[in-house]
Amino acid sequence: MQQTAFYEQLLDIVGNVFDAYSAVLFLPDPAEPGVCRAAAAFSLGEALNREAAIAPGQGLVGWIIREKKPLLISNFDQQRGVLGYYRGGEEERIRAFMGHPVPATGGALCIDTRKTYAFVEKDLKILSQFAQLAGNHLARSREVAQSLVEHGFYKAHQRIAQLHKTHPKWAAFREAFLSILAEAAGFRHAILAVRDESGRSYFLEGASESPFLGGRDVPTRFSVGQGLVGWVFKNNAPVYTGEKDEASRLPLFGLDVATIDCKSVICLPIAFSKKTRAVLTLADPRPLPVAEDLKTFVGMVSESLALFLENLHLRTRLGGPSS
């Protein structure tokens, strides 16, 4: 909200400085790579589409975004182009247009007027300074947001690293571990599957929230190789599927097991003593981003889990307490 308020105030100033009819700031849409959406707008009329989306090369604004070059048209009625951010026939009343690419982050800052020859080259230079200000603000906001994400991962990993002291029993450790992991990663489900001693099947050891559909009558044991989790057991290889990837068509535990339809999945093999002993899974029905910092965090967490499970395995073999 603070970021939106900043852009709205900036465009109010831009509109007043240039005596513009409308001013629109287009910035990249994180949910649609390659598309820029109106992040803020100022207009003296009611026909401006404040939710306009522009693809690179689409109309005059799209040309600015794609070419990363400014554009000045003082006689818009003679050099007709498509703006793409008005509804109805309002665009036909525009007589002059000026736009500048937003540096660093991409996008475009555009203004127009109903007055012919209202903008000159000097105005374009001033507009570039406003575009620079918008780009700097967005870049800084992204840096702050990324720092907060990384700090959250760091704090979560710290908590997990101390779990063996605060939750020495396996059942308590498992519950706390999966809960912290799901919350920090922003995924609805954190799931742990463990291979049995025969090595031919695996079972659901725990989940922050059940991924199964259809009530309580669900299987608890699955053949190795069955489902996406079974594939990870069999191949000892991770799986990453997020918003920019094609969702896996293979259900978590196999075709005959009713589970949530996952558009985002992270599956990591947990290995020790030269065998894949468990698979740690994050799953969510939403198409979530799976960025490198998330992969790093989950990888570090899986290593902590592998160490705990190896110690637990050794204690069990030696006859020590395990639960």
Side-chain angles (χ1 to χ4, degrees):
M1 291 300 292
Q2 290 181 348
Q3 185 167 297
T4 301
F6 172 83
Y7 291 139
E8 294 286 355
Q9 185 177 18
L10 178 65
L11 290 197
D12 284 344
I13 297 172
V14 170
N16 289 327
V17 167
F18 294 103
D19 193 22
Y21 179 68
S22 295
V24 189
L25 174 64
F26 289 92
L27 294 175
D29 185 349
E32 294 186 59
V35 173
C36 289
R37 291 189 179 274
F42 160 89
S43 184
L44 298 178
E46 301 295 329
L48 191 141
N49 180 9
R50 295 176 180 272
E51 298 178 354
I54 303 290
Q58 179 183 348
L60 298 177
V61 180
W63 184 90
I64 295 170
I65 294 171
R66 183 187 65 193
E67 301 297 325
K68 296 181 175 59
K69 295 179 180 180
L71 185 62
L72 171 61
I73 301 178
S74 295
N75 52 342
F76 200 73
D77 53 337
Q78 296 179 25
Q79 301 179 26
R80 178 58 53 186
V82 177
L83 296 179
Y85 53 79
Y86 281 112
R87 297 188 177 96
E90 186 73 6
E91 187 171 311
E92 296 178 2
R93 305 173 70 179
I94 300 301
R95 294 294 175 265
F97 167 83
M98 183 167 59
H100 199 283
V102 177
T105 62
L109 175 58
C110 304
I111 62 173
D112 61 46
T113 181
R114 293 181 179 181
K115 302 174 184 178
T116 305
Y117 302 109
F119 304 133
V120 296
E121 289 294 332
K122 181 179 178 181
D123 294 327
L124 197 58
K125 183 174 182 180
I126 297 173
L127 186 66
S128 72
Q129 294 175 322
F130 284 113
Q132 179 77 54
L133 184 60
N136 289 344
H137 181 80
L138 178 57
R140 179 56 182 158
S141 297
R142 287 177 174 175
E143 290 176 1
V144 172
Q146 183 62 30
S147 295
L148 290 174
V149 169
E150 293 175 355
H151 180 70
F153 287 159
Y154 172 74
K155 297 297 291 185
H157 189 253
Q158 275 191 322
R159 292 172 62 193
I160 287 174
Q162 297 299 315
L163 278 180
H164 69 286
K165 298 178 181 179
T166 58
H167 299 69
K169 302 294 186 181
W170 167 239
F173 177 97
R174 177 190 63 215
E175 181 179 354
F177 174 89
L178 294 175
S179 176
I180 294 171
L181 176 60
E183 180 183 359
F187 277 62
R188 183 174 299 176
H189 305 273
I191 306 163
L192 179 63
V194 177
R195 200 170 192 160
D196 65 11
E197 288 299 323
S198 70
R200 293 189 294 270
S201 61
Y202 67 93
F203 56 91
L204 183 69
E205 175 67 24
S208 61
E209 182 179 327
S210 175
F212 298 111
L213 303 174
R216 300 179 180 178
D217 297 329
V218 295
T220 57
R221 191 171 294 270
F222 313 90
S223 299
V224 166
Q226 182 179 350
L228 188 60
V229 174
W231 184 93
V232 175
F233 268 114
K234 188 174 182 179
N235 293 275
N236 190 33
V239 171
Y240 302 99
T241 299
E243 65 176 357
K244 296 181 181 180
D245 308 299
E246 182 179 353
S248 173
R249 297 181 180 179
L250 189 63
L252 289 177
F253 300 100
L255 295 173
D256 57 346
V257 182
T259 56
I260 57 169
D261 182 20
C262 299
K263 292 184 175 63
S264 303
V265 176
I266 297 176
C267 285
L268 295 182
I270 306 298
F272 55 88
S273 300
K274 299 181 180 180
K275 293 182 180 179
T276 299
R277 307 282 183 167
V279 171
L280 181 62
T281 299
L282 286 169
D284 201 287
R286 299 167 294 173
L288 300 176
V290 181
E292 290 302 317
D293 54 0
L294 176 59
K295 292 181 181 180
T296 300
F297 166 68
V298 178
M300 293 171 63
V301 165
S302 68
E303 291 175 1
S304 297
L305 178 61
L307 182 60
F308 185 90
L309 288 176
E310 184 173 19
N311 290 335
L312 183 67
H313 179 72
L314 291 173
R315 289 204 307 267
T316 301
R317 290 182 61 184
L318 295 173
S322 62
S323 62

